Amino acid sequence: MKNKGLKVIIVRHGQSGYNTERRIQGRTDASTLTEKGRNDASLVGKALSNILFNAIYSSPLQRAKHTADIIHSELATHAEQSAVLQVSDLLLEIDLPLWEALLTSEVKQKFAEDYRTWHQHPDKLRMLLNDAQGTREHFPVLALYEQARQFWQEILSQHQGETILIVGHNGINRALISTALGIPPSRYHSIQQSNCGITVLNFAGALGEPVQLESLNQTQHTGESLPSLRPDHQGVRLLLVRHGETDWNRQTRFQGQIDVPLNDNGRQQSLKAGEFLQDVEIDFAVSSTMLRPKETAEIILKRHPNVKLELQDGLREISHGLWEGKLETEIEQEFPGELQRWRLIPTQVQMPEGENLQQVWERSVAAWQSILQAASNNQFKTVLVVAHDATNKTLLCHILGLSLENFWSFRQGNGAVSVIDYPAGIDGLPVLQAMNITYHFGGGVLDKTAAGAL
């Protein structure tokens, strides 16, 4: 999806005192930034300094506002940056009045049933609050999603064709991303926002029109190559990588199941991905059977010589049938209007003599489940999975509980890394910890790879 609309960069505040104490913050304003939080906010400002912002919005709570002030002052050292910092109550953190300022361990103890609901069915968490009018019901997650929708409705129309920065909190940031992409409140915990993590969204227009998640929860600028595991993490971590660039990616020629090898840049990208992951303890690796991901995986694994590489046919790229080997202009000529349908309603397109997305879903999800099972059986902690653009996008829909209508909602750059955790084991819900990390290519926080045609 080419973005002609609005680019939104979302940042979570820096580490706060309550974060280090594992204390519930919610809307309490007692929590302030730690020294690390202030330093990381400064690093965010430096990481974003080559991007020209038209507007900056912050939560009024001091941990977010202070983060925004530090970023703003870093940006202001660049003469062309003139965006004013505005505060919005619609960026307030999730409202958890009965839990605020308590330690997580205290909440687990005092509100055991509610805490279980919060983790397993966050949309069903209910608090009974007493005020002057009597007792009222409060659904924190549902209220937060409504607040996020309201923010988008107010903001989107004002900034078409612009770039804006939002500095918020873990909860509201997740709700903003989720309402943009259509991730339901029941999957509130399925995406993560680390302190000073950077997320990039591209809007085509208003809420409900196409949105692309360019990247999620980048933490490399703070010195954390991959987001840390959640407390009490028990399951497996999967590193999902798209293969490096091919000449056909560069030319926007449809590859599908034609076995095009990496080009020199693709091999270089694979080397850089290998460097980026060199300190990660990988236990097992799986690649699509095709040349480009297999070579990408082999290059990454040069730094992990004891790791076995298995090939899975179910991870191969979508078969584009008669489109394969053709440029977009040639496809448009031979199959008028079909390319546009593929971009707008991909689930309704049957590739001539090829596959449809449902077929890709069935085989790639089956492959994914078998990888999870193997990881669980062998007690592997970290697994590398290297596949393709369409395969990865299909898997991301599956991971976030989205239908294939959301296929275009995810960007997958060549050589990019995404991180998926199963903190409660393979039978629990997955968490997309980070997506489409391309920082290792030296281009900053925006994806500058030739994502190209499929």
Side-chain angles (χ1 to χ4, degrees), residues 5-70:
L6 165 67
K7 186 176 285 292
V8 179
I9 294 180
I10 299 176
V11 175
R12 183 185 173 194
H13 64 77
Q15 184 196 69
S16 69
Y18 275 26
N19 289 148
T20 59
E21 293 165 22
R22 294 202 60 205
R23 206 175 275 283
I24 306 286
Q25 301 186 108
R27 294 196 173 172
T28 178
D29 209 10
S31 183
T32 56
L33 295 184
T34 61
E35 188 184 354
K36 175 176 167 49
R38 294 190 294 275
N39 290 340
D40 285 351
S42 175
L43 292 170
V44 173
K46 288 181 171 71
L48 299 177
S49 61
N50 61 341
I51 299 167
L52 192 61
F53 291 101
N54 302 91
I56 303 171
Y57 293 93
S58 166
S59 156
L61 297 173
Q62 59 178 334
R63 58 192 186 270
K65 174 69 166 56
H66 193 185
T67 303
D69 285 335
I70 294 169

Side-chain angles (χ1 to χ4, degrees), residues 187 190 216 226-227 229 233 235-241 368 372 381-383 385 392 395-396 398-400 412 417-423 428-437:
R187 300 299 289 265
S190 290
L216 176 82
L226 301 177
L229 294 168
H233 175 97
V236 64
R237 164 167 282 191
L238 292 102
L239 305 172
L240 180 63
V241 177
W368 185 259
L372 283 175
K381 287 189 167 62
T382 307
V383 179
V385 181
N392 288 9
L395 288 170
L396 288 165
H398 164 68
I399 287 156
L400 291 175
Q412 289 292 284
V417 178
S418 298
V419 184
I420 299 100
D421 284 350
Y422 284 78
L429 287 177
V431 179
L432 184 62
Q433 286 273 14
M435 191 209 78
N436 203 38
I437 301 166

Side-chain angles (χ1 to χ4, degrees), residues 35-299:
E35 188 184 354
K36 175 176 167 49
R38 294 190 294 275
N39 290 340
D40 285 351
S42 175
L43 292 170
V44 173
K46 288 181 171 71
L48 299 177
S49 61
N50 61 341
I51 299 167
L52 192 61
F53 291 101
N54 302 91
I56 303 171
Y57 293 93
S58 166
S59 156
L61 297 173
Q62 59 178 334
R63 58 192 186 270
K65 174 69 166 56
H66 193 185
T67 303
D69 285 335
I70 294 169
I71 295 170
H72 191 223
S73 64
E74 282 286 352
L75 295 175
T77 60
H78 295 259
E80 65 278 13
Q81 293 279 10
S82 59
V84 181
L85 175 57
Q86 303 168 65
V87 167
S88 169
D89 283 351
L90 292 173
L91 294 175
L92 280 163
E93 180 55 310
I94 187 167
D95 193 14
L96 297 165
L98 302 184
W99 295 359
E100 268 173 20
L102 294 176
L103 294 170
T104 304
S105 55
E106 292 173 329
V107 174
K108 272 187 196 172
Q109 206 180 343
K110 288 184 184 173
F111 302 93
E113 194 58 39
D114 285 347
Y115 192 75
R116 240 193 321 277
T117 302
W118 162 250
H119 272 287
Q120 293 170 7
H121 306 285
D123 52 319
K124 295 192 168 79
L125 177 67
R126 181 183 74 136
M127 291 184 173
L128 291 175
L129 307 178
N130 297 311
D131 55 27
Q133 280 75 48
T135 305
R136 66 181 175 91
E137 278 189 324
H138 171 55
F139 289 88
V141 174
L142 297 183
L144 189 70
Y145 272 58
E146 197 40 56
Q147 178 187 318
R149 275 187 213 100
Q150 227 179 309
F151 179 81
W152 287 134
Q153 276 149 7
E154 284 189 17
I155 293 303
L156 290 175
S157 57
Q158 294 176 35
H159 296 290
Q160 283 308 298
E162 296 183 349
T163 300
I164 69 169
L165 173 65
I166 293 168
V167 182
H169 307 263
N170 191 359
I172 184 59
N173 288 5
R174 286 197 242 170
L176 288 168
I177 297 159
S178 297
T179 50
L181 295 174
I183 300 169
S186 59
R187 300 299 289 265
Y188 171 72
H189 295 298
S190 290
I191 54 174
Q192 181 62 336
Q193 293 286 281
S194 302
N195 291 119
C196 282
I198 296 173
T199 294
V200 183
L201 281 171
N202 299 316
F203 285 83
L207 198 59
E209 289 185 52
V211 184
Q212 180 201 60
L213 184 63
E214 180 175 317
S215 65
L216 176 82
N217 203 31
Q218 298 184 57
T219 55
Q220 298 69 44
H221 51 284
T222 66
E224 191 174 64
S225 58
L226 301 177
S228 53
L229 294 168
R230 288 188 167 190
D232 311 319
H233 175 97
Q234 299 158 21
V236 64
R237 164 167 282 191
L238 292 102
L239 305 172
L240 180 63
V241 177
R242 183 184 173 198
H243 64 76
E245 186 187 284
T246 68
D247 284 340
W248 285 22
N249 287 144
R250 180 61 57 190
Q251 298 158 11
T252 70
R253 196 180 287 279
F254 276 66
Q255 299 180 113
Q257 295 187 0
I258 292 179
D259 224 357
V260 185
L262 298 180
N263 60 19
D264 285 343
N265 188 44
R267 280 186 279 277
Q268 198 55 37
Q269 287 172 329
S270 306
L271 272 173
K272 285 182 177 166
E275 281 169 25
F276 177 61
L277 297 173
Q278 66 185 357
D279 296 327
V280 178
E281 283 188 35
I282 296 171
D283 300 304
F284 182 54
V286 185
S287 163
S288 151
T289 47
M290 301 185 72
L291 281 174
R292 49 196 188 267
K294 182 172 173 283
E295 192 180 353
T296 301
E298 286 166 349
I299 292 170

